[in-house]
Amino acid sequence: MNDVKKKNITLNNMSKTNNFVFWGLYIVAWLIFVGLSIEAGGLIVNFFFSLYKPEFVQNLYEKLDLSEIYNSSRSAFFGIYSFILTISILKAFLFYIVIRLMQKMDLSKPFSTFVATQIKLISYYTLSIGLLSSIASQFARYLMHHGFATDNLNRFWTDGQAFILMGAVIYIIATIFKKGVDIQDENDLTV
């Protein structure tokens, strides 16, 4: 009888620890989402200021001044800035989906169609960020070979390969989760 009581206390403590870790990760996800949203918003403001008031760009967010590229080639400017904005917005939206998943997920019954769908969506966004980052990196190299200074832009896509790998791993997890949902639904019908 004593062993059963100890086992229940241990399981209860593990549950509290898991719940604490979950909420800690939830708060971290919110902080990352807010940071990425601020970055995306700042980059959007920089973009419009660089078009209409280029003299103020040096005082704006991250002082991303691409006026030299803009003056030399507008198509190169719009191409490179499109990559920067798209990647930045996708990263913010990725964490929005993570937050939505964490809000609606029932930890006592995690295998649901909603969770499987959200994890698959997270894998698609992660893979998209990685692929776009790789393409943007190649485009920046192409511009560098044509005399444009793009060294200061590498921070926007240096993690492209990590996102591709992470997207593949998350896709595998989404597939396993989907199979878990199917098995759970099948078991519910049998009972």
Side-chain angles (χ1 to χ4, degrees):
M1 189 71 160
N2 232 358
D3 289 335
V4 172
K5 201 175 203 181
K6 285 181 184 178
K7 193 173 193 179
N8 284 340
I9 291 172
T10 303
L11 288 174
N12 192 19
N13 286 340
M14 285 176 53
S15 177
K16 286 180 183 177
T17 302
N18 288 342
N19 200 19
F20 179 74
V21 170
F22 180 81
W23 282 104
L25 292 173
Y26 181 68
I27 291 169
V28 169
W30 263 106
L31 292 172
I32 292 170
F33 170 69
V34 168
L36 290 172
S37 297
I38 290 170
E39 179 181 50
L43 290 170
I44 290 170
V45 169
N46 275 11
F47 175 72
F48 287 112
F49 265 95
S50 65
L51 292 177
Y52 298 110
K53 296 275 188 180
E55 61 273 6
F56 288 117
V57 171
Q58 63 189 2
N59 300 323
L60 296 176
Y61 180 76
E62 292 196 19
K63 300 175 183 175
L64 185 61
D65 186 9
L66 299 178
S67 55
E68 183 182 313
I69 295 175
Y70 180 79
N71 292 333
S72 299
S73 171
R74 288 189 182 194
S75 60
F77 172 81
F78 286 115
I80 206 75
Y81 226 115
S82 295
F83 280 121
I84 292 170
L85 287 177
T86 304
I87 291 168
S88 178
I89 291 168
L90 282 175
K91 284 180 180 179
F93 198 71
L94 171 68
F95 274 89
Y96 169 74
I97 294 169
V98 169
I99 289 169
R100 191 172 68 185
L101 169 66
M102 293 179 83
Q103 281 178 338
K104 295 184 179 185
M105 183 169 60
D106 182 10
L107 287 178
S108 63
K109 196 175 181 185
F111 288 99
S112 68
T113 306
F114 173 77
V115 172
T117 304
Q118 293 303 302
I119 292 174
K120 187 175 275 191
L121 196 57
I122 289 169
S123 74
Y124 291 153
Y125 276 98
T126 305
L127 192 59
S128 298
I129 291 167
L131 291 174
L132 276 174
S133 295
S134 295
I135 294 168
S137 174
Q138 293 301 317
F139 185 65
R141 276 195 203 119
Y142 170 79
L143 290 177
M144 191 182 304
H145 289 305
H146 285 81
F148 294 104
T150 60
D151 289 341
N152 63 333
L153 304 176
N154 289 337
R155 68 180 187 263
F156 293 107
W157 41 73
T158 56
D159 52 1
Q161 293 162 340
F163 271 97
I164 291 172
L165 180 62
M166 189 168 46
V169 169
I170 294 171
Y171 182 79
I172 292 168
I173 292 169
T175 305
I176 293 169
F177 240 85
K178 176 69 173 123
K179 186 65 175 171
V181 169
D182 293 343
I183 291 171
Q184 182 174 327
D185 290 344
E186 191 177 298
N187 285 342
D188 289 346
L189 289 176
T190 327
V191 174

